[in-house]
Amino acid sequence: FFFFFQAEDGIRDLVRSRGLGDVYKRQKEKWQEGDISNFEYLMLLNKYGGRSFNDINQHPIFPWIFSNYTAPSIDLQSESNYRDLAMPMGGISKRKRDYADSKLEALLQEEELEPYQIGSHCMPGRVVLGYLFRTEPFSSLILQFDQRRD
């Protein structure tokens, strides 16, 4: 994007827009400095990513951050209790990574298919409705969704 700015002397300057990159960088710095909460930062990332509460197919997402769901209590200071956020949910365990790798290898053998490792969307609309079904209008929407499948 380009913007023209009118200077005091009447000469217009052409200035390249910095876009969302600078906005994102400023918000990231605020988060790192503790000026905004984790929730606020994740909401901003969802907003900048085009996610909205108005579309169940683009509903905001929040990462699963823990890896230990079996212990009665966990030490929040221990890194072993957090999952590797560099990995998608489909690759968080060795078993899941091996499955994704074998699927990719099989698809690489096919000539008509585009190869991929993890095929599901991070949060399809049906999954969002599954979490929201206890409140209206989502309980009605999930009933309508299930009736269309019959």
Side-chain angles (χ1 to χ4, degrees):
F1 297 100
F2 292 94
F3 294 100
F4 286 99
F5 292 95
Q6 191 81 29
E8 288 181 16
D9 61 3
I11 299 172
R12 294 171 60 180
D13 263 345
L14 178 66
V15 177
R16 185 169 182 82
S17 168
R18 295 178 290 187
L20 279 179
D22 286 344
V23 173
Y24 167 73
K25 185 178 176 185
R26 282 193 306 275
Q27 297 302 325
K28 181 175 144 187
E29 289 167 356
K30 284 183 176 182
W31 172 65
Q32 289 172 329
E33 293 167 4
D35 293 338
I36 61 174
S37 69
N38 290 346
F39 177 78
E40 290 170 307
Y41 182 63
L42 289 171
M43 285 302 294
L44 287 167
L45 291 179
N46 278 292
K47 177 183 172 184
Y48 297 152
R51 297 193 165 277
S52 165
F53 288 106
N54 297 324
D55 180 354
I56 62 169
N57 292 309
Q58 295 297 324
H59 202 271
I61 56 174
F62 297 89
W64 292 63
I65 61 168
F66 293 113
S67 62
N68 184 349
Y69 290 96
T70 57
S73 65
I74 61 171
D75 176 9
L76 295 177
Q77 303 303 316
S78 173
E79 287 187 25
S80 66
N81 287 316
Y82 295 94
R83 79 173 185 92
D84 179 2
L85 293 175
M87 291 287 183
M89 286 299 290
I92 60 173
S93 70
K94 178 158 176 35
R95 181 182 58 82
K96 287 185 175 188
R97 282 192 302 274
D98 289 346
Y99 173 75
D101 289 344
S102 67
K103 182 171 28 173
L104 177 62
E105 287 299 320
L107 287 171
L108 287 171
Q109 306 302 318
E110 298 287 327
E111 293 183 11
E112 291 91 37
L113 299 174
E114 185 74 30
Y116 61 90
Q117 281 182 300
I118 300 170
S120 65
H121 185 273
C122 60
M123 197 73 150
R126 177 65 173 89
V127 173
V128 173
L129 288 177
Y131 283 109
L132 299 173
F133 79 98
R134 293 185 179 150
T135 59
E136 283 295 348
F138 304 106
S139 53
S140 297
L141 287 172
I142 203 163
L143 289 173
Q144 291 172 7
F145 185 88
D146 284 344
Q147 289 171 353
R148 284 187 295 203
R149 289 188 359 195
D150 292 340

